Amino acid sequence: MSRFAGVNDGFFSGLLIHHQGFTLTEIMTTLAIVGILSGLAAPGLQALTEQKQGETTLRTLAEHLALARASAASYGQTVTFCRSSDGRTCSGTWSEGSIVFTDRNADRLINQDDLLLRSQLTPGLQGTIAWRAFQNRQYLQMEATGFMRYQSGNFLYCPQDGDPRAALQLIVNSTGRTRYAVDSNGDGIREDSGGSPLTCQL
């Protein structure tokens, strides 16, 4: 009885020893494969992250414009929407953030009885946001009549590498209403309001 037990013990202990773990070669091979796959996936994940950030930022800008339109009508006065790096003044770049405020004398300053309606900073944005409009004024002002003050244009988002396939655009008309640029011809690049493909100037 003990003889058979000894055989069985040796048999099972051999199995345990054989399947105890991975060899150094197996581990190194696995790590190499994981490294290669991670390297291949990283650029795609980075691009996806940047595009999602761009989409979120443009959506926020569209919401700010809608707020400016509604507030201009509600307060019966000019409302200013501008870029802001500090959340309190018209300053910096659109990539840093923006503010919306009532602006009774349309001087683009929060003074007297003006009210700060919305402030949004975007310190983690990896791409860039640019406002393109007539005379290149870097602010938008809505009147109580429902029209902007001589302005219409677009917000263009570009990723860090300037790849136009990841470029996004928010088109703004003279009443402050917005729509997003789309890829109508299926070439992977969205078109602006004139039908031309979006481009990013680095």
Side-chain angles (χ1 to χ4, degrees):
M1 189 70 168
S2 60
R3 181 169 61 85
F4 287 107
V7 171
N8 289 336
D9 289 344
F11 175 75
F12 286 113
S13 64
L15 285 177
L16 290 174
I17 292 172
H18 181 71
H19 294 287
Q20 191 169 9
F22 296 104
T23 66
L24 180 59
T25 302
E26 290 172 331
I27 293 173
M28 295 301 291
T29 302
T30 301
L31 289 175
I33 292 172
V34 169
I36 292 171
L37 292 177
S38 297
L40 293 173
L45 290 175
Q46 175 71 16
L48 181 61
T49 299
E50 286 191 29
Q51 186 165 23
K52 289 301 180 183
Q53 286 183 332
E55 291 173 355
T56 300
T57 303
L58 288 188
R59 186 164 54 249
T60 298
L61 293 175
E63 291 171 355
H64 282 190
L65 271 169
L67 173 64
R69 292 180 71 252
S71 299
S74 176
Y75 287 98
Q77 60 181 275
T78 301
V79 172
T80 294
F81 172 40
C82 64
R83 57 191 181 178
S84 179
S85 58
D86 59 11
R88 296 183 57 81
T89 62
C90 291
S91 59
T93 68
W94 288 103
S95 302
E96 295 174 295
S98 57
I99 56 175
V100 180
F101 58 94
T102 61
D103 193 3
R104 185 177 297 278
N105 59 5
D107 63 354
R108 304 187 302 283
L109 296 172
I110 300 176
N111 48 35
Q112 299 174 4
D113 57 349
D114 294 336
L115 300 174
L116 178 62
L117 303 174
R118 186 73 57 85
S119 174
Q120 179 75 37
L121 298 180
T122 53
L125 185 66
Q126 298 179 42
T128 60
I129 298 285
W131 167 247
R132 298 173 174 175
F134 178 67
Q135 294 185 353
N136 200 36
R137 293 172 177 160
Q138 292 302 305
Y139 60 89
L140 299 87
Q141 290 182 316
M142 292 296 307
E143 300 283 13
T145 57
F147 287 88
M148 290 202 298
R149 301 187 71 184
Y150 322 111
Q151 293 165 292
S152 61
N154 63 76
F155 286 100
L156 176 69
Y157 166 79
C158 283
Q160 286 181 316
D161 63 3
D163 186 349
R165 293 172 297 180
L168 305 169
Q169 190 178 74
L170 180 68
I171 301 166
V172 184
N173 69 17
S174 60
T175 65
R177 296 186 182 278
T178 62
R179 65 182 178 88
Y180 295 93
V182 297
D183 176 18
S184 60
N185 60 9
D187 66 351
I189 301 176
R190 296 167 179 82
E191 294 92 37
D192 61 21
S193 57
S196 299
L198 300 183
T199 59
C200 291
Q201 303 295 328
L202 293 177

